[in-house]
Amino acid sequence: MSARVFINEVAPRDGFQIERDFVPTADKIALIDDLSPLGFAKIETTSFTSPKAIPNLADAGEVMAGIQRQPGVDYVALIPNEKGVERALACGTDELNFVMSASDSHGRANLRMTADQSLERFERMTDLAAGGGAFINASISTAFGCPFEGDVRPERVLEIVARLAAIGIQGVSLCDTTGMANPRQVAELCEAVLTRQPKLSLTVHLHNTRGMGLANALAAYQSGVMRFDAALGGLGGCPFAPGASGNVCTEDLVHMFEQMSVDTGVDLDGLLKVAEGLPAIVGHDVPGQVFKAGTSQRRYALPEAAR
Amino acid sequence: MSARVFINEVAPRDGFQIERDFVPTADKIALIDDLSPLGFAKIETTSFTSPKAIPNLADAGEVMAGIQRQPGVDYVALIPNEKGVERALACGTDELNFVMSASDSHGRANLRMTADQSLERFERMTDLAAGGGAFINASISTAFGCPFEGDVRPERVLEIVARLAAIGIQGVSLCDTTGMANPRQVAELCEAVLTRQPKLSLTVHLHNTRGMGLANALAAYQSGVMRFDAALGGLGGCPFAPGASGNVCTEDLVHMFEQMSVDTGVDLDGLLKVAEGLPAIVGHDVPGQVFKAGTSQRRYALPEAAR
């Protein structure tokens, strides 16, 4: 197993997009600037999508232009269509993260496209992005199950991954959009993708909806995955899984790996300080546990009676 | 890896003992009676300890006498001393769970005994229990770390386990009392115990203080552990880790294993119904996630626009 993993902080996009209240542009920029020096491989900064579809990220261009970019960090934007490619490239986005769903119902509900329609569109988007210098990743939502259809066949996901590779897409994220995955399933699908597509950069995007977020991350790690999406404080979620907790929490994931002596590159103490400020930014409590409990290194004073 | 695991439901003891308000005896009995038909291997029902030490469990004898025992379920009681052994045997407790701490500071704070003092006492308690027909288990608190001392050497834990086996104790629970363990550590210690003491019945008792509960359970399972303590709703915690979440949540653990096609013997749907009633019993929200989010099998109606 690898002694190093790479973290993509997705809270500015996947967290803020679903908040009830619009997070002010200045707060978004300030948070990203706080995160940038902490050692992330990538920060998913925003989404170049229609302001009607995601009003919370209507300030994508301003955010991308306003942040202080840190050398060594790739600033990623989620992109649903050709217009998004143009807008993202115009402001020098390092990575374009195309998004589709493995299941057609979720694709129609979320993007008004089936998987095949998304793949056709991705060809045009990839052509458009060619020569722009950006890394092209594709996120496959509902790769481990669909909240409308249920099981998603691994063969179908593998077929989609093969078509993405054929299009020329460089990286793929397998997304457990509503937290339906279990560790056995994660290990099996990740191993199959790594075996069949060794040249693709593979990321897992996990949610903690049913408490299995870190267990699934462990299973992915054991199967050879080195890249993980995670959201500060465990922000995020899915409109189709109300009441559930959100993305795997970045500081809890980093803490687990660092405790296992797996290097994340991330400054955990610095990250915990940023996480402590998150409830004030979003106006509510967040699911992250380590910033509340302290790390495993935390020591308590011995009670008087026991001294 | 085993296709079957065995769950010990500990909420009636480890959960209720730390609640701010005394849970009425009738509520305790009703909850245990609701849990009994669900397929647990064991239910840790109460603790025969001093009512001064744990006022919340002062009704131990009444609870043990009041429940409807289900054939095939072992009703366990936590036992700190000789008097507890006598009281537990007098009401036909199936399993006596002796408790000690691997670290002397925690032992002094929690039990007023060092580890060596506990081991000496366990010899007398085991002699006293001989012929009483009860299974003897010993729980080793702070086996993965101490909130006062920090790291606990695995060699020390292995030495304690060897002494417990020599005394004639039949089962050992490695307890991550304040949720300090990580998956690598859990795997290494469990493998060492299973290798050196193959005749001992090994259980892990995990907390979710830092979000790693299910990941640690997965690591224990992968290393060969088949027995797990867990608390309904994720009740419990530790007075020395305030603000933290509690035990591994039973229904979340059962859900994960069942999703992985590992048989727990537990009726998950029945369990979720009992879990839904737990906040009303304890008067507050509880950390369990699956009873809020639904299982991974839950399906949502497709939004109108996507049909």
Side-chain angles (χ1 to χ4, degrees):
Chain A
M1 279 176 267
S2 169
R4 176 70 156 92
V5 294
F6 300 87
I7 312 292
N8 177 19
E9 170 56 59
V10 302
R13 196 282 300 172
D14 201 9
F16 289 164
Q17 76 172 21
I18 202 179
E19 285 297 318
R20 201 195 57 183
D21 300 326
F22 180 85
V23 175
T25 306
D27 288 355
K28 288 173 180 153
I29 291 170
L31 181 76
I32 294 162
D33 285 349
D34 285 343
L35 293 168
S36 280
L38 297 178
F40 290 105
K42 303 178 182 182
I43 297 177
E44 192 162 89
T45 308
T46 189
S47 176
F48 287 99
T49 184
S50 151
K52 275 187 199 160
I54 308 184
N56 275 0
L57 302 182
D59 55 1
E62 294 161 79
V63 170
M64 202 55 101
I67 56 173
Q68 295 280 334
R69 300 208 193 174
Q70 183 85 12
V73 181
D74 283 340
Y75 295 87
V76 183
L78 194 79
I79 312 284
N81 54 31
E82 293 89 333
K83 189 171 175 193
V85 172
E86 289 171 345
R87 289 172 66 201
L89 289 178
C91 58
T93 305
D94 298 307
E95 176 174 321
L96 313 184
N97 184 19
F98 299 172
V99 60
M100 64 174 290
S101 296
S103 58
D104 289 340
S105 326
H106 189 268
R108 279 194 293 260
N110 204 37
L111 302 159
R112 298 171 188 274
M113 282 184 277
T114 64
D116 286 330
Q117 289 170 331
S118 285
L119 288 164
E120 285 168 32
R121 191 156 208 164
F122 283 5
E123 286 198 53
R124 300 195 297 275
M125 290 162 67
T126 304
D127 288 347
L128 193 61
F135 185 91
I136 313 284
N137 191 80
S139 280
I140 307 174
S141 296
T142 66
F144 300 96
C146 169
F148 310 120
E149 296 180 23
D151 291 344
V152 171
R153 289 181 306 111
E155 295 73 22
R156 175 63 175 150
V157 179
L158 292 168
E159 185 194 343
I160 291 169
V161 172
R163 287 181 63 183
L164 292 169
I167 290 170
I169 284 170
Q170 299 153 288
V172 163
S173 302
L174 298 176
C175 303
D176 184 24
T177 311
T178 60
M180 295 170 65
N182 68 73
R184 176 166 289 178
Q185 180 189 16
V186 168
E188 288 172 356
L189 189 58
C190 290
E191 279 164 22
V193 171
L194 288 166
T195 304
R196 296 195 199 188
Q197 303 290 344
K199 288 181 188 164
L200 272 183
S201 171
L202 177 62
T203 300
V204 290
H205 176 105
L206 301 166
H207 280 230
N208 197 37
T209 318
R210 292 164 177 97
M212 295 183 282
L214 292 188
N216 286 335
L218 177 65
Y221 169 73
Q222 290 171 335
S223 72
V225 173
M226 293 170 66
R227 298 185 174 278
F228 297 83
D229 284 0
L232 190 72
L235 277 192
C238 178
F240 306 119
S245 81
N247 284 268
V248 158
C249 170
T250 311
E251 63 272 20
D252 292 3
L253 181 73
V254 166
H255 177 262
M256 181 178 80
F257 278 131
E258 294 288 338
Q259 287 290 311
M260 293 171 66
S261 302
V262 177
D263 182 18
T264 62
V266 176
D267 166 8
L268 179 58
D269 289 336
L271 181 61
L272 289 169
K273 285 201 186 77
V274 180
E276 281 166 20
L278 189 60
I281 296 172
V282 294
H284 57 78
D285 188 24
V286 297
Q289 297 198 188
V290 174
F291 88 86
K292 294 166 195 157
T295 72
S296 292
Q297 264 64 50
R298 183 170 175 179
R299 299 290 165 262
Y300 290 84
L302 200 59
E304 194 72 44
R307 278 175 208 162
Chain B
M1 279 174 268
S2 170
R4 177 70 157 92
V5 295
F6 301 86
I7 312 291
N8 177 20
E9 171 55 59
V10 302
R13 195 281 302 172
D14 202 8
F16 289 165
Q17 75 171 22
I18 203 179
E19 286 298 318
R20 200 196 57 183
D21 299 327
F22 180 84
V23 176
T25 306
D27 288 356
K28 287 174 180 153
I29 292 170
L31 181 77
I32 294 163
D33 285 349
D34 285 344
L35 294 167
S36 280
L38 297 178
F40 290 106
K42 304 179 183 182
I43 298 177
E44 192 162 270
T45 308
T46 189
S47 176
F48 287 99
T49 183
S50 152
K52 275 188 198 158
I54 307 185
N56 275 1
L57 302 182
D59 55 3
E62 292 161 79
V63 171
M64 201 55 99
I67 56 172
Q68 295 280 335
R69 298 205 194 177
Q70 181 86 12
V73 181
D74 285 340
Y75 295 87
V76 183
L78 194 79
I79 311 283
N81 54 33
E82 292 89 334
K83 190 172 174 193
V85 172
E86 288 171 347
R87 289 172 65 200
L89 289 179
C91 59
T93 306
D94 297 307
E95 176 173 322
L96 313 184
N97 184 19
F98 299 172
V99 58
M100 64 175 290
S101 295
S103 59
D104 289 339
S105 327
H106 188 269
R108 279 194 293 262
N110 205 36
L111 302 158
R112 298 173 188 274
M113 281 184 278
T114 64
D116 287 330
Q117 289 168 333
S118 286
L119 288 165
E120 285 168 32
R121 191 155 207 166
F122 284 5
E123 286 199 54
R124 300 195 297 274
M125 291 162 67
T126 304
D127 289 346
L128 193 60
F135 185 91
I136 313 286
N137 191 81
S139 279
I140 307 174
S141 298
T142 65
F144 300 96
C146 169
F148 310 119
E149 296 179 24
D151 291 343
V152 171
R153 289 181 308 109
E155 294 74 20
R156 175 63 174 151
V157 178
L158 292 168
E159 185 193 344
I160 290 169
V161 172
R163 287 181 63 184
L164 292 169
I167 289 170
I169 283 169
Q170 298 152 288
V172 163
S173 302
L174 299 176
C175 303
D176 183 25
T177 311
T178 60
M180 294 169 66
N182 69 73
R184 176 167 287 179
Q185 178 189 16
V186 168
E188 288 173 357
L189 188 57
C190 290
E191 278 164 23
V193 171
L194 287 166
T195 303
R196 297 195 197 186
Q197 304 290 342
K199 289 181 188 165
L200 272 183
S201 171
L202 177 62
T203 300
V204 290
H205 175 106
L206 301 166
H207 280 229
N208 197 37
T209 318
R210 292 165 177 94
M212 294 183 281
L214 292 188
N216 285 334
L218 177 66
Y221 169 74
Q222 290 170 334
S223 73
V225 174
M226 294 169 65
R227 298 183 174 278
F228 296 83
D229 286 358
L232 189 72
L235 278 193
C238 178
F240 307 119
S245 81
N247 284 267
V248 160
C249 171
T250 310
E251 62 273 20
D252 292 3
L253 181 73
V254 166
H255 177 263
M256 180 178 80
F257 278 131
E258 294 288 338
Q259 287 290 310
M260 292 172 67
S261 302
V262 177
D263 182 17
T264 62
V266 176
D267 166 9
L268 179 58
D269 290 337
L271 182 63
L272 289 170
K273 285 201 187 77
V274 180
E276 281 167 19
L278 190 61
I281 296 172
V282 295
H284 57 77
D285 188 25
V286 297
Q289 295 198 190
V290 175
F291 88 88
K292 293 167 194 155
T295 72
S296 292
Q297 264 64 49
R298 183 170 176 179
R299 299 289 165 265
Y300 291 85
L302 200 61
E304 195 72 44
R307 279 175 208 166

